[in-house]
Amino acid sequence: MSSSSSFSPFRDQRAVALLLAATLTTMANAAISPALPGLEARFADHPQAALLTRFLVPAPSVAVVLIAGWSGVLADRVGKRILLLGGVILFAIAGSLGMVLDSLEAILASRLALGVAVALIMTAQTALIGDYFQNEARSRLLGLQISARNIGGLVSITLAGFLALLSPMHVFAIHGLALLILPILWTAVREPKPAEKPTAIPGATVDTAPSPDGLGLGLWSMAALQMLTVICFFTMPTQVPFFVASHGVTNTAVIGGVMGALTLAGALAATRYATLKPRFGHTGLFTIGFGLMGSGMLTLALAPNLGVIFVGATLVGLGFATVSPNFNEIALKSAPANRRGRAAGVMTTSVFLGQIVSPLLTLPLVQATGYRGTFITLATVLLICAAVALVRHSLRKPIANRI
């Protein structure tokens, strides 16, 4: 049997193009995080400035939740390529509008339009990975997809930290970078033909075809677990900038550095997914990933200084990137080929629904228990998930790779 190293994604133009598209998805939400304190100060006269400013980060998620399911249907019926290209164009326009708007309501509207673009991009991009690749090749691409999202987040958040030193409004210009990858997508991505066989590593075990009459229980269970995970994780871009500021750090470049550590750790961890999954299986990776996330949240709760905050953010990033590819791989295996667009739409919806719910839950929690109590609560939830996964892994270890 050939090893996973026999497939080189960076020599496949389709893989490179789809990974470049994936870099945009984290940028859409988290890029403006370093500017949140500045935006709150700029619109201090607004009676709901604290809530609306924080809600600018997950605002695109509202639009995604509303249309991701429909975009999945469109992807299956109209085509994934046209949705991907249209999404990238809309992403650049809607995302950049914020730098010229002069009210929180107008900025919020532009962020909702950005969410429409994200729904199109994520749904089409994930479904195309399922169409183009299978088996270990697909595992590698799904891992690299998370890595690409984190690298996109790292670059955009780092740049945003420096741009916010000039003005909090400058951070919105970062979304215009999407236009740079449009020519690559145009030439490399084509609509898969119904009879086209996905790329697989020679000698690898072929995926078992799911039942054609439904999307599968695996899809819905992964969507629910992914939503819970995102609720916990999204505390990082929505609350950590204020948590860092509470330690007396007001330099936006430093705040961006903390978020950069989070995304860089995730980028590195996700590259190992295809290597680790055959060894630990899905439940083993859930155990490791949730354990790392929970440990990171505990570290943040007890952090006495900025250095320890960096450590906590790094652990959370490592854990989230370890569990994230699991969700999409199990979901794609649970859906028949002619419904991969719908499956990708469901998974995209769960991500962004979690992002919407996160600040609505965590802001009252912060107000009631403080940052320390919030991080301890989230750590408890994540460590319980790790414990459940560990029990399941122990019971099913002989067949872990077939879950």
Side-chain angles (χ1 to χ4, degrees):
M1 179 181 296
S2 300
S3 68
S4 62
S5 60
S6 61
F7 170 68
S8 178
F10 300 108
R11 294 181 181 178
D12 189 311
Q13 291 184 343
R14 301 170 305 172
V16 172
L18 293 177
L19 291 175
L20 287 173
T23 64
L24 303 179
T25 56
T26 299
M27 180 192 303
N29 290 79
I32 67 170
S33 292
L36 292 183
L39 288 170
E40 183 178 3
R42 181 182 180 90
F43 297 104
D45 292 339
H46 195 290
Q48 298 296 326
L51 178 60
L52 289 181
T53 300
R54 286 167 172 81
F55 198 70
L56 289 177
V57 174
S61 308
V62 175
V64 173
V65 168
L66 292 176
I67 74 161
W70 293 105
S71 67
V73 174
L74 285 175
D76 288 333
R77 293 183 178 178
V78 178
K80 305 174 184 72
R81 181 179 186 270
I82 189 171
L83 260 67
L84 183 61
L85 296 175
V88 171
I89 294 171
L90 179 60
F91 183 98
I93 296 173
S96 300
L97 273 177
M99 65 180 176
V100 297
L101 300 175
D102 58 2
S103 73
L104 273 176
E105 288 82 3
I107 294 175
L108 186 60
S110 72
R111 300 286 290 171
L112 292 173
L114 179 64
V116 174
V118 172
L120 300 179
I121 293 170
M122 283 193 68
T123 299
Q125 185 254 349
T126 300
L128 283 168
I129 288 178
D131 286 341
Y132 287 157
F133 307 98
Q134 67 177 358
N135 307 319
E136 283 83 351
R138 183 187 293 170
S139 294
R140 177 167 287 192
L141 260 295
L142 289 172
L144 289 175
Q145 174 183 253
I146 304 301
S147 181
R149 290 177 185 176
N150 281 285
I151 290 173
L154 172 64
V155 173
S156 61
I157 290 172
T158 303
L159 289 175
F162 288 100
L163 288 174
L165 292 173
L166 303 176
S167 166
M169 309 304 291
H170 281 51
V171 298
F172 295 102
I174 290 174
H175 300 90
L177 294 174
L179 295 177
L180 297 179
I181 71 170
L182 190 59
I184 300 173
L185 294 173
W186 184 272
T187 57
V189 175
R190 57 184 174 83
E191 192 64 30
K193 298 177 181 178
E196 185 175 358
K197 185 177 181 180
T199 298
I201 296 170
T205 303
V206 178
D207 288 342
T208 300
S211 172
D213 59 358
L215 289 177
L217 180 61
L219 169 67
W220 299 107
S221 60
M222 285 304 99
L225 184 58
Q226 181 174 241
M227 178 179 168
L228 175 63
T229 306
V230 171
I231 288 173
C232 296
F233 175 77
F234 217 63
T235 305
M236 303 303 288
T238 57
Q239 298 298 339
V240 165
F242 298 95
F243 174 60
V244 174
S246 72
H247 280 71
V249 179
T250 57
N251 189 314
T252 56
V254 174
I255 296 174
V258 173
M259 301 307 299
L262 173 81
T263 53
L264 178 59
L268 295 175
T271 62
R272 309 304 302 163
Y273 176 74
T275 301
L276 295 175
K277 198 205 74 175
R279 179 178 179 184
F280 296 102
H282 291 304
T283 52
L285 290 180
F286 278 137
T287 302
I288 296 169
F290 285 130
L292 286 170
M293 288 185 71
S295 299
M297 291 293 182
L298 278 179
T299 301
L300 290 172
L302 303 175
N305 53 51
L306 185 62
V308 179
I309 291 175
F310 269 94
V311 173
T314 299
L315 289 173
V316 173
L318 289 171
F320 186 68
T322 300
V323 300
S324 291
N326 265 342
F327 300 130
N328 279 331
E329 181 161 34
I330 296 172
L332 288 174
K333 285 181 179 179
S334 301
N338 65 343
R339 295 194 177 187
R340 285 202 185 108
R342 292 172 175 84
V346 170
M347 296 306 292
T348 300
T349 299
S350 77
V351 170
F352 289 93
L353 186 57
Q355 291 180 3
I356 293 173
V357 173
S358 183
L360 299 178
L361 290 179
T362 58
L363 181 57
L365 190 59
V366 168
Q367 293 171 340
T369 67
Y371 291 110
R372 186 172 186 271
T374 298
F375 291 132
I376 288 176
T377 300
L378 297 177
T380 301
V381 172
L382 292 164
L383 292 175
I384 288 174
C385 290
V388 172
L390 178 60
V391 171
R392 290 179 61 85
H393 183 67
S394 299
L395 293 175
R396 307 176 71 173
K397 189 174 181 180
I399 56 172
N401 289 341
R402 296 194 283 115
I403 296 174

